[in-house]
Amino acid sequence: MECINPQKALLSNYEVYALLQSKRAEAAAAAKRGPKPDKGDKAAKAKKQGMAVEREVYYYLTKVHDVATHWSAENVTAYLEAMAHYKLLKGEKLMLLNVRPRNLVGLLTCIEEADDRFDNDELAGILEVLDTTLPLPMLEDEEMAEAGAAEPEETMAMDED
């Protein structure tokens, strides 16, 4: 057996997340309607294993690498439209979408031979497109820094006895 077109059906993390969200909504609606008749031992076991994989993927996309949960279809469409004028391969666009680098080092790991293909202004432009079209949740460190900047720190005076 031979794989004719290996990159025919690549999905982004956002697409997988959206699919799992819709499947969860369908399952919740089906649970309200009542139980389905048993289809047999092998089919039930396969369905249970499939559901376990779905749970693990959903956990990864919502808890471990949760950036896709903060986006909408409009964000992804805006990203793809903005990236159209950069000469990136489909796989590179997908990797940028899935990895969502925060800085130049992360960007360089996602684009092959980036330093040969793009100048610094173009790389900065790609990072700007990522920042404007695909918002990121704040990291705990950033939240702490903002909270510290908003409230002046109290200094403790020490009594010298």
Side-chain angles (χ1 to χ4, degrees):
M1 189 148 106
E2 183 179 321
C3 185
I4 296 172
N5 190 353
Q7 292 189 4
K8 185 161 182 116
L10 297 177
L11 296 174
S12 69
N13 289 351
Y14 173 76
E15 291 168 311
V16 173
Y17 172 73
L19 174 69
L20 291 176
Q21 282 288 91
S22 67
K23 286 189 80 167
R24 284 178 156 245
E26 289 173 9
K32 288 180 182 178
R33 288 191 299 264
K36 289 185 176 182
D38 190 22
K39 294 183 178 180
D41 192 29
K42 284 186 177 183
K45 185 177 180 182
K47 185 175 181 176
K48 192 173 183 180
Q49 289 172 341
M51 289 173 61
V53 171
E54 284 180 17
R55 271 194 311 276
E56 289 177 23
V57 170
Y58 188 79
Y59 176 82
Y60 173 78
L61 293 175
T62 57
K63 305 290 186 209
V64 178
H65 188 71
D66 70 338
V67 295
T69 62
H70 301 281
W71 301 335
S72 65
E74 291 80 23
N75 290 117
V76 176
T77 302
Y79 160 77
L80 292 172
E81 288 171 356
M83 293 304 254
H85 98 264
Y86 295 102
K87 294 182 180 179
L88 292 168
L89 302 172
K90 288 180 186 179
E92 292 170 337
K93 290 178 189 175
L94 181 67
M95 183 175 273
L96 287 172
L97 181 62
N98 286 342
V99 173
R100 182 46 184 96
R102 295 176 184 264
N103 54 32
L104 184 61
V105 174
L107 181 68
L108 293 175
T109 61
C110 295
I111 302 174
E112 278 187 48
E113 301 175 359
D115 48 348
D116 294 337
R117 294 170 47 200
F118 302 103
D119 61 23
N120 288 340
D121 293 336
E122 289 174 316
L123 292 172
I126 292 172
L127 278 174
E128 187 174 328
V129 166
L130 289 168
D131 288 339
T132 57
T133 59
L134 300 173
L136 284 173
M138 277 195 186
L139 295 175
E140 289 180 23
D141 296 340
E142 292 171 351
E143 290 173 359
M144 301 274 281
E146 275 193 15
E151 300 173 12
E153 284 188 33
E154 296 180 15
T155 57
M156 296 180 73
M158 296 185 67
D159 292 331
E160 293 182 27
D161 291 312

